[in-house]
Amino acid sequence: MTETRTPPEPPERPEPDGRPEPPERPEPDGRPERPDPDGRTEQSGRSEPSTAGPGAAGPRNGPRTGAGTGADTRARGARSPRRGRHSHRHRSRHRSRHPRRTPVGSRWAPYALVAPFFLFFGAFGIFPLLATAWTSLHRVELTAPAEQEWVGLHNYARLLDDTFFWNALGNTVVIGVLSTVPQLLLALGVAHLLDVRLRGRGFFRVVALAPYATSVAAATLVFALFFGRDHGMANWALGTVGIDPVDWQNGPWASKFAVSSIVIWRWTGYNALIYLAAMQTIPRELYEAAALDGASRWRQFLHVTLPGLWPAVLFTVLVSTIGATQLFGEPLLFASGAGASGGADHQFQTLGLYLYEQGWVNLHLGRAAAIAWAMLLILVVAFGAVRLLRGGLARREQAS
């Protein structure tokens, strides 16, 4: 029987902090040695070839030990990941005890980078808002802005009895609904068409965005000619089908529809590109699965496309509502000579026009500031009501 000598393990390096080394875990690929039937020990796993010379004990005549010769053990010990783990552990402990120090300049660098934005936002966003709120509490004339008389909430109370304010608010709501709903529906259709594989898709996308790049003055001038009472193309088209001419600038509903058409033409392409970008994020596998289930293109649009577009739809509704509340350029330039009055009977005067009329035509800066804050409060109340309504519907669905 040949005596098996196991070469000694290399001495463990003491821990820097003097604590004893934790017990070693068994190697993942190591299994206990089992005695050989002929008295020799053999590793049950795959034996490594010996690196000793032919005179040394080979795999056939020498002792078949799993550890091999001393040279093999030292070579394997050098390749063993145990020491690597020890050194990694030592580095981790060293980092935990001595964290890397961040330079003072790099710590404040993010604040320095975002500071210009907040400076400009405070100068051109927060300060005008607060200055407008302070002005709304005074009687101030545009000809003498330094002479202010404290009136408290009088400008706000006056709006409650101002029929022109309520007329402008009603016109703003009507024009906003007439322009927002068709605009978003058309944008959905245009985005769906642009999402189909077509030749020259880039050209059609540029064409869809072209109205957004057109100035308000140029677009309103073209539409004013289009809706002209005597020589407009709209009345010419109606006359071809036997309908009498319409006074698009003086009619109460016709003027609102004409102003809304300008808004629809300018903003449909912009919203279509937003919907198109959202459509392209919907996985195509959902459409393939729906087609395998026998869903038609319309049902795919209802049950796959619309749920995927819901965040983009909410965004466009929010932006369109804010834009409708601030509508100013289109009604100001639509009727020549009407100016800020919004027509002979104020039939399409919006809140933006009424604010401009009070501040820069009638020179009442205090009233104009109160109208501006009333517009902001109307938006806050409207979005708060929508949020409460959504929360109530969600709780009702969870309860059911």
Side-chain angles (χ1 to χ4, degrees), residues 180-250:
T180 301
V181 175
Q183 173 192 150
L184 298 183
L185 293 178
L186 287 174
L188 270 177
V190 172
H192 186 66
L193 293 176
L194 292 177
D195 195 32
V196 180
R197 296 183 180 276
L198 296 174
R199 288 185 178 180
R201 287 186 298 175
F203 172 76
F204 290 113
R205 293 173 184 178
V206 172
V207 171
L209 193 60
Y212 175 71
T214 307
S215 68
V216 180
T220 306
L221 177 61
V222 172
F223 273 86
L225 296 175
F226 180 79
F227 287 108
R229 184 185 60 183
D230 299 328
H231 305 286
M233 293 185 63
N235 282 337
W236 172 79
L238 293 177
T240 57
V241 294
I243 299 177
D244 295 334
V246 178
D247 192 355
W248 296 101
Q249 296 183 352
N250 295 320

Side-chain angles (χ1 to χ4, degrees), residues 129-130 132-133 322 325-326 351 355 369-383:
L129 196 64
L130 298 177
T132 304
I322 295 175
T325 307
Q326 300 174 350
L351 284 176
L355 185 154
I371 296 171
W373 265 91
M375 294 167 62
L376 177 62
L377 293 177
I378 289 172
L379 284 177
V380 171
V381 171
F383 290 131

